[in-house]
Amino acid sequence: MHAFSRRSLLKTGAAFAATFAAPALVRAAPKEIVIGGPAGAAKYFNADLFPVLEKKLDCKVLYEGTNSLTNLQKMQADKASPKISVVIMDDPVMLPAAAEGLITKMSSSAIPNLGKLVDGAVHQDGLWANYQKPWAGIAYSTKRMKTPPASWADLWDTKYESKIIVPSLSNTEGFWALLAAAHLETGKPYKEAQYEIDVAFKKVKSLKANLLNVYTNAPQAINLLEQGEAWMIGGQFSAYTLIRKADGSPVDLAIPADGGFAMPSGIAKVAGGPAGDLADAVIEFFLSPEAQTILAEKAFVAPTNQATPRPAGFPDPAALFAPDWAFVAKNRAGWVDRWSKEMT
């Protein structure tokens, strides 16, 4: 019989301990999930929201930040083998995604927070839901302008030659300038003016002399505003502008006297996406009071979960105009093409 020496026992014990330590060393890495969403949200998503999400769900988020139309095009191209599992897009881009079968119905059994949202936040029987509601107005440089812009007509004032930025129609926020133009040219309220597109394009083209830039990249445009090269961006989201203001940048967001706009942002599960149940858990998190409190405080967006407190100073959503998104979605591709031809 072999007698164990003290040395061999120590060696055996060390090997035994290593065997039990091994599971921690070889434990599977957190599961990855690809989320597609707006480039303008990348800063507060990456800094404030995703670290909480990753810790809570033991996952790693790979974020595809771009504009909503680009993410729609990616989903169309990858329809047979999707790479994105959860997509965050504006409502007018969710409409074609739903029509083309690119997103799939969510269930309240897998995502209980769907049943806790404000009225109107769940669309088409659960194909997508609004996880936040930014508002839109005119962003301006407080370094250059001592008083906020009072009207959308200020964008056209000749004293602001080469000082104005507007978003491209490729970006959803580009619609606000078109809508404001229709309102100014016709004198009609937004509800009626939104259908006067030929008149809107005529008015927008008259803005060219005041344009410093037409952007597709929101962070770059905000940088120009911060530096004082641009004086105003019309229109712009609360989530893009007020977060910079909170960081100390000399920018602010005005809601003109002729009215601001509501821009519900949607989240959806991509049809056939690779992350499976993890996609449900991610959406459940976005719709939770925990996530929406972070977004309200860090990104200046109104929450949609009824259990999440709305911070003081946020505008009354009822006072903001919400366009006919179905009309926008139906015509947007043609408008984007027309914009490219007439605004360059």
Side-chain angles (χ1 to χ4, degrees):
M1 182 176 178
H2 179 75
F4 287 99
S5 66
R6 183 173 183 273
R7 182 182 178 89
S8 64
L9 280 171
L10 288 173
K11 288 174 67 177
T12 302
F16 187 72
T19 299
F20 276 85
L25 295 175
V26 300
R27 185 177 61 187
K31 190 174 181 180
E32 293 183 343
I33 183 168
V34 179
I35 300 176
K43 182 177 180 180
Y44 56 83
F45 276 178
N46 288 323
D48 303 306
L49 195 68
F50 289 156
V52 179
L53 185 158
E54 290 176 335
K55 183 177 181 181
K56 192 178 187 73
L57 301 182
D58 189 25
C59 66
K60 176 65 179 174
V61 173
L62 304 177
Y63 187 61
E64 295 273 347
T66 181
N67 63 54
S68 292
L69 278 182
T70 299
N71 269 330
L72 176 66
Q73 290 164 354
K74 288 181 181 178
M75 292 163 64
Q76 291 167 331
D78 297 337
K79 185 175 183 180
S81 182
K83 298 178 178 61
I84 296 174
S85 290
V86 172
V87 67
I88 295 168
M89 302 193 297
D90 301 319
D91 280 13
V93 189
M94 284 291 187
L95 287 164
E100 296 177 34
L102 300 173
I103 54 178
T104 189
K105 183 179 176 181
M106 303 177 289
S107 70
S108 56
S109 58
I111 306 174
N113 276 318
L114 282 170
K116 301 173 184 176
L117 305 184
V118 297
D119 289 345
V122 179
H123 300 269
Q124 296 195 11
D125 201 24
L127 275 177
W128 80 91
N130 297 131
Y131 72 100
Q132 64 175 19
K133 291 190 175 183
W135 60 93
I138 300 176
Y140 65 100
S141 165
T142 55
K143 184 188 298 182
R144 299 296 189 186
M145 300 178 67
K146 299 307 177 189
T147 57
S151 165
W152 288 95
D154 289 357
L155 298 177
W156 277 263
D157 192 318
T158 54
K159 68 183 178 183
Y160 298 121
E161 181 178 354
S162 300
K163 295 180 173 62
I164 305 298
I165 293 178
V166 294
S168 165
L169 264 184
S170 297
N171 294 48
T172 301
E173 67 267 30
F175 180 64
W176 305 130
L178 198 64
L179 178 52
H183 159 67
L184 293 171
E185 190 70 6
T186 64
K188 296 179 179 178
Y190 297 140
K191 186 175 181 178
E192 299 173 23
Q194 64 182 322
Y195 303 110
E196 303 278 357
I197 295 303
D198 288 339
V199 173
F201 269 99
K202 176 186 173 185
K203 181 68 174 178
V204 164
K205 286 170 67 176
S206 71
L207 187 60
K208 282 187 176 180
N210 279 9
L211 291 182
L212 172 68
N213 196 4
V214 175
Y215 82 78
T216 55
N217 185 301
Q220 291 178 0
I222 296 285
N223 289 343
L224 291 173
L225 196 68
E226 288 177 330
Q227 294 160 10
E229 290 187 51
W231 289 34
M232 289 184 273
I233 302 177
Q236 195 52 262
F237 289 135
S238 56
Y240 291 177
T241 308
L242 296 182
I243 190 170
R244 298 290 188 103
K245 177 186 176 185
D247 286 342
S249 294
V251 299
D252 207 341
L253 184 71
I255 298 180
D258 35 355
F261 305 111
M263 182 64 256
S265 300
I267 188 166
K269 186 176 179 181
V270 176
D277 292 344
L278 180 56
D280 291 327
V282 166
I283 295 171
E284 171 72 358
F285 175 75
F286 266 84
L287 300 182
S288 69
E290 180 181 12
Q292 296 200 355
T293 296
I294 294 171
L295 291 170
E297 292 177 350
K298 300 294 184 181
F300 302 92
V301 292
T304 58
N305 190 311
Q306 298 179 79
T308 311
R310 183 159 60 95
F314 279 33
D316 178 3
L320 302 171
F321 179 71
D324 178 351
W325 288 125
F327 175 73
V328 174
K330 180 180 178 182
N331 295 282
R332 188 175 180 185
W335 296 347
V336 170
D337 183 58
R338 183 173 177 178
W339 177 279
S340 299
K341 293 174 181 172
E342 298 187 17
M343 294 300 290
T344 55

